[in-house]
Amino acid sequence: MKFPKPVTDLRGFRLGRINEPQYRHLWWLLFWPVYLLRYFLIELFNPAQSYHVMHCVLDDRIPFHEIFLIFYVCWYFFIVGIHLYCLLYDPDTFRRYSKFLCISITMSTAIFLLYPSCQNLRPAEFPRDNLLSRAVGLIYAMDTSTNVFPSEHVIGALAALAAAAHTKGLCKPGRLLPLTVLTVLICVSTLFLKQHSALDVLGALPICTISYLLCYEKRGYHEHLSCRYRYRLHNRKTGYSQ
């Protein structure tokens, strides 16, 4: 994939220039430290006795398989990669992508506080002893099985896909289709690794829908109105009428 010349040239960036038009969108990067900080605060202050167990029949039909760790870990590269691509080549989509994350994560945080959740799906013993299953064990040790509804893994993947779909360099079918398949595999991986219930995945969908409508469809609506306005103005000047 050949990368064009970046719209945002970070070589000339200095902190004192962040309010200049070409760098102003970098303020949205403050989302990430806030995101990490509120995660630890929620884990610290949510009382364990208040957790609601997330479980449905579908969870019992999905087997654990450590191979899905590959796609689960791809999440980190996916969201960071799309974030950096938009930052450099499409500042407008970068702002909308960041806004999408801010809105969706704010909603999920509110749900975590109002409806604390957990899941008991993790296997007591791994069916296979290999490098991947041992790596899953490390993830289990570092990541608690609390505050799982809705799945922020799913929210992050869908946010990245939405940004890719609105970025000129990535929205071509030959590039967007593999990213869509990757997004589906990332979402499914949370189920096969027993990191989330199917309810957690479903719970992320309405949040992403609302965030998408607020961040992307609004632009399309205004562009549509602007087009109609220019069209009518042109007709008035030329005296043309349908």
Side-chain angles (χ1 to χ4, degrees):
M1 179 178 174
K2 186 178 180 181
F3 291 98
K5 183 179 179 181
V7 174
T8 305
D9 188 359
L10 294 179
R11 292 175 299 179
F13 174 71
R14 302 292 184 275
L15 192 58
R17 302 182 63 187
I18 196 169
N19 286 320
E20 294 181 9
Q22 61 176 323
Y23 298 121
R24 197 172 296 158
H25 60 288
L26 296 180
W27 279 112
W28 285 99
L29 290 174
L30 290 175
F31 161 80
W32 292 105
V34 174
Y35 166 76
L36 293 173
L37 178 62
R38 61 96 226 188
Y39 174 81
F40 291 111
L41 289 177
I42 292 174
E43 289 289 314
L44 182 63
F45 290 110
N46 264 15
Q49 62 270 21
S50 68
Y51 290 131
H52 300 82
V53 179
M54 307 307 298
H55 180 267
C56 67
V57 175
L58 183 58
D59 297 329
D60 298 329
R61 297 181 177 274
I62 299 175
F64 169 87
H65 207 298
E66 67 278 2
I67 192 67
F68 282 90
L69 176 66
I70 296 172
F71 305 111
Y72 187 85
V73 173
C74 281
W75 182 82
Y76 300 95
F77 298 98
F78 184 36
I79 62 171
V80 172
I82 297 296
H83 215 65
L84 289 176
Y85 186 91
C86 292
L87 185 152
L88 293 173
Y89 299 103
D90 192 343
D92 181 61
T93 299
F94 175 81
R95 283 187 286 268
R96 295 178 187 277
Y97 178 24
S98 300
K99 185 179 178 182
F100 186 116
L101 288 172
C102 287
I103 293 172
S104 57
I105 296 303
T106 298
M107 287 192 286
S108 67
T109 301
I111 294 173
F112 292 160
L113 294 174
L114 298 173
Y115 189 81
S117 55
C118 68
Q119 54 93 351
N120 299 319
L121 302 172
R122 295 177 175 180
E125 294 183 0
F126 294 124
R128 291 161 294 275
D129 182 18
N130 52 45
L131 182 61
L132 289 177
S133 61
R134 292 173 189 173
V136 173
L138 291 176
I139 291 178
Y140 284 179
M142 293 185 294
D143 185 18
T144 66
S145 58
T146 57
N147 297 314
V148 293
F149 178 88
S151 169
E152 291 189 342
H153 220 75
V154 172
I155 289 174
L158 293 177
L161 180 63
H166 287 80
T167 302
K168 185 178 180 180
L170 300 175
C171 65
K172 298 177 182 179
R175 296 172 181 173
L176 189 60
L177 181 58
L179 294 178
T180 302
V181 173
L182 176 61
T183 300
V184 172
L185 289 172
I186 288 173
C187 295
V188 169
S189 72
T190 65
L191 303 177
F192 281 91
L193 290 183
K194 299 303 177 180
Q195 282 287 79
H196 283 284
S197 163
L199 296 176
D200 305 333
V201 174
L202 293 176
L205 300 183
I207 290 178
C208 289
T209 300
I210 294 171
S211 301
Y212 180 85
L213 293 175
L214 291 174
C215 299
Y216 294 103
E217 286 301 303
K218 189 176 180 180
R219 175 177 62 174
Y221 178 69
H222 284 315
E223 286 180 350
H224 174 67
L225 290 181
S226 178
C227 244
R228 291 188 64 183
Y229 173 76
R230 291 195 300 269
Y231 177 72
R232 289 177 179 176
L233 185 62
H234 173 74
N235 288 346
R236 288 177 185 174
K237 289 180 178 180
T238 59
Y240 174 79
S241 62
Q242 288 182 326

